[in-house]
């Protein structure tokens, strides 16, 4: 899995790890994190946070097979990738295990919330910016909209409502 790592630096331009970290999870989920300018990312590193942005299964830009491997995997394989990235972040010494926060918007907000529900020993906090809290509610909403035949099968597939509820942070 490809990730983007950003670390805080001191006034001399040297890496200055403080132990504080943010796992910044992109939305979409058919989007990706890249090394382009991001005000929020710059603010985090300027305030001493190491930031890791994983491009988990379902992310765009790594081929159709990688993107499709995220279909019907909300809360499952995609979340496992996010957990793996967080564990690597800690293991490599970029962040202290008791100072990691999951942050994201839209799908990233969903994954951040699910992270603290599912792995409360891994994440100490979560920030969800307009994140999905209920997959069944999202599927119901999208089913009544244009292009629902493109989006709903990618999220739901043949999964039961019970499974979708179990994969929802709500």
């Amino acid at each position: 899995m490809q990730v983007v790592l950003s670390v805080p630096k001191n006034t001399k331009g040297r890496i200055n790890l403080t132990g504080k970290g943010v796992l910044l999870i992109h939305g979409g989920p058919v989007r990706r994190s890249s090394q382009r300018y991001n005000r929020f990312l710059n603010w985090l590193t300027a305030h001493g946070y190491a930031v890791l942005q994983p491009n988990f299964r379902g992310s765009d830009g790594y081929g159709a097979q990688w993107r499709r491997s995220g279909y019907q995997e909300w809360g499952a394989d995609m979340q496992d990738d996010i957990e793996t990235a967080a564990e690597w972040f800690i293991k490599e010494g970029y962040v202290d295990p008791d100072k990691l926060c999951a942050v994201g918007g839209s799908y990233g907000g969903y994954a951040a919330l699910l992270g603290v529900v599912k792995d409360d020993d891994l994440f100490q906090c979560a920030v969800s910016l307009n994140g999905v809290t209920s997959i069944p509610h999202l599927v119901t909403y999208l089913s009544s909209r244009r292009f629902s035949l493109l989006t709903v099968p990618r999220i739901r597939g043949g999964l039961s409502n019970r499974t979708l509820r179990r994969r929802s942070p709500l």
Side-chain angles (χ1 to χ4, degrees), residues 43-60:
W43 184 90
L44 288 168
T45 56
H47 285 82
Y49 292 89
V51 181
L52 187 69
Q53 301 174 82
N55 283 308
F56 44 84
R57 276 175 262 205
S59 298
D60 198 21

Side-chain angles (χ1 to χ4, degrees), residues 114-161:
L114 190 61
V116 295
V117 170
K118 189 176 173 193
D119 297 298
D120 59 349
D121 59 333
L122 187 58
F123 299 104
Q124 281 53 62
C125 70
V127 177
S128 175
L129 308 168
N130 67 310
V132 173
T133 56
S134 170
I135 300 173
H137 289 136
L138 174 65
V139 167
T140 299
Y141 172 79
L142 292 175
S143 294
S144 66
R145 301 292 183 257
R146 189 174 186 186
F147 304 117
S148 65
L149 294 177
L150 295 174
T151 56
V152 172
R154 292 177 182 174
I155 298 169
R156 180 185 190 118
L159 300 174
S160 69
N161 280 336

Side-chain angles (χ1 to χ4, degrees), residues 21-60:
V22 170
L23 191 73
L24 187 56
I25 308 165
H26 67 74
V30 184
R31 299 245 189 265
R32 70 175 165 173
S33 296
S34 63
Q35 295 180 354
R36 65 179 183 266
Y37 178 75
N38 179 324
R39 286 184 306 204
F40 183 54
L41 173 65
N42 287 0
W43 184 90
L44 288 168
T45 56
H47 285 82
Y49 292 89
V51 181
L52 187 69
Q53 301 174 82
N55 283 308
F56 44 84
R57 276 175 262 205
S59 298
D60 198 21

